[in-house]
Amino acid sequence: MAEFEPVLTANIHKPDSHTLRVYEQGGGYQAIRKVLGGMSPTDVVELVKASNLRGRGGAGFPCGMKWSFLPKDHPGPIYMCVNADESEPATFNNRILMEQDPHQVIEGIIIGCFATKASTAYIYIRYEYPTAFRRLQAAIDECYAAGLLGKNIQGSQFSLDIYLHRGAAAYICGEETGLIESLEGKRAWPRIKPPFPAIEGAFRKPTVVNNIETMACVPHIVNRGADWFKSMGVPSTGPRDAGSYGPKLYCISGHVEKPGCYEMPMGVTTRELVERYGGGVWKGRKGKASIPGGLSMGIMTEKEWDVPLDFAGPGKVGCLGLGTAAVTIMDETTSMIDFLHNSCRFYAHESCGQCTPCREGTSWAERIVHRIKAGKGRLKDLDILLDIASSIGIIPGTTICGLADGAAWPIKNAIAKFRGEFEDDIKRTNPTGWMVEEAVEALELVGLGTGH
Amino acid sequence: MTSTATKSSVLTAEMRAKIEALFPRYPTKQAVTLPALHIVNEALRCVPMDAIPEIAAMLELSPAQVYDTLSFYGFFKHEPGGQVRAWVCRSISCALRGGEEVLDSLAHKLCVKPGETTADGKITLEFGECLGLCDFAPAMLANEKVYKNMSVEQVDEVVALLKSQADQGN
């Protein structure tokens, strides 16, 4: 394979990379001129379909196919919602794109709206990204002044407005229908699907919801073609695998010497990431485990670090998927109980409360792991945790959205892959197998009792 | 005693103008709920209960609808917070590098629990869930300023910086 040439991050190290001037000097806004100069919306959809670009937000759904689900010849309005609510623990690739190269993102959004005939795009951006918010707003203002947004863009028949909409620190707003509800001014409770947003989304109109990095890929596909995009990554292995093509921003954080965000072709391994880019496991220690793509994807052991991080790879070792491709490394000194406690606490805090299995299950799991961490664990707690984990989520069919699946996976993986460590710790800290009277045991299990 | 005393408005003319300016962006006025809450919160460092019926009237909603949305997000408080609101990340990438210890240490130094404001009204300390600053872990966002690669050893220095941020009004 030829030497890999980064494209998504080609601009980010230049001075003033966030300005229109620098973006255009680097070839920016050529793709939108090409599109407006002779492509039809269908041409763009077909091009993106041919590239096999899959969504970078976590689910990996083919982007062109998502666009093609919009009703044909709809009188409008059609909306685009761009998901910049990047809140998956360990994930920051979209922050870097928005802060360092906002015009690349905006060019992708303009092309995406042209392809889907959307007349308004809302970028839903998490509150915790103030710099990204200001840079994007400045870039949007520059675009209006330059005739790249607004009425009759570059003299064409195509008009588009882009508005930023700030969130208020709620993880669930990253779920596409939670995002839509939040945009509409309501609590961010995910919707039952169908109807899918493409049919009935924001303000009950057809809506596409796309991730920031996905949009940033689009101008490059227009400029360089679908074959260029497909020249990178891991090819499809069969009719049920859409393949993992193109460049990807991998985040690496946790116990490495050099945490950061690195662009490389889809399919790098955790070990390569750690050793070639992360500067190795920190403090000269050995690795113990990792998160493959945001906390919700579960965990890999160090022995599994040679699995390629493409859309199919993490699933082969029991993880939920590639997710956001944000890798977190844990060194040999890390306690899996501490890890699981941190994970369960996050989901208990962020469950939106709509579905009882998730609202209650995530809190029960947090309280049980908290009790284990406090030295009052019992061996059978591990089976109770697994029982909760297998009962909450879309996969068992008990919740509306996937938040609970993301809560369940770290529990399932941690206990399956490190059960001995949990058992040893419980036997050491609670050797008598501390029990309370049966009558209050149920309350104790969930941390509501008075026995300790 | 006079019976003509009217309750003064919480929303100023400036806040109302900012809120109204957003109406053309959305097909419904309800969609301006979160932006309106942010406008009030930025001006007052909270959204007082008395502001809710006023916002509701502007958006042609029931106050209960505005309150329902407001209360979903733990973000909006009814009493003013400190001049600086500082979120210390407690999620996994920061926790692996000492984030929780930094949070505990800051709480100890400032004599507050997460969610509380210092007695001088300068600093509200909060825990944050993943702030997306994992490349700078452990990290903190204080108003719009990012504190990177923090450690327990630097906590005195961080407290001084937070106080000067509060004094300078940024």
Side-chain angles (χ1 to χ4, degrees), chain A residues 18-19 36 41 50 52 71 103 124 133 176 181 198 235 285 335 343 367 379 388:
Chain A
H18 55 283
T19 61
L36 294 176
N52 282 29
H103 281 287
Y124 189 104
F133 172 75
E176 62 176 3
E181 287 284 308
R285 291 178 189 161
S335 153
S343 174
R367 287 166 177 169
L379 290 174
I388 295 170

Side-chain angles (χ1 to χ4, degrees), chain A residues 95 122 134 182 185 187 254, chain B residues 25-26 68-69 73 97 132 144:
Chain A
R95 188 199 88 226
Y122 298 103
R134 304 222 178 277
S182 179
R187 56 173 63 199
Chain B
R25 294 186 172 195
Y26 304 93
D68 185 74
T69 300
Y73 304 91
R97 297 172 78 97
E144 298 204 355

Side-chain angles (χ1 to χ4, degrees), chain A residues 86-91 126 346, chain B residues 89 91 128-134:
Chain A
E86 180 170 73
S87 309
E88 179 63 31
T91 310
R126 67 184 307 212
F346 174 81
Chain B
C89 182
S91 294
E129 296 292 7
C130 191
L131 301 173
L133 296 167
C134 322

Side-chain angles (χ1 to χ4, degrees), chain A residues 255 281 284-289 330-335:
Chain A
H255 291 159
V281 178
R285 291 178 189 161
K286 292 196 178 84
K288 176 174 178 175
M330 291 174 259
D331 74 21
E332 58 191 332
T333 70
T334 311
S335 153

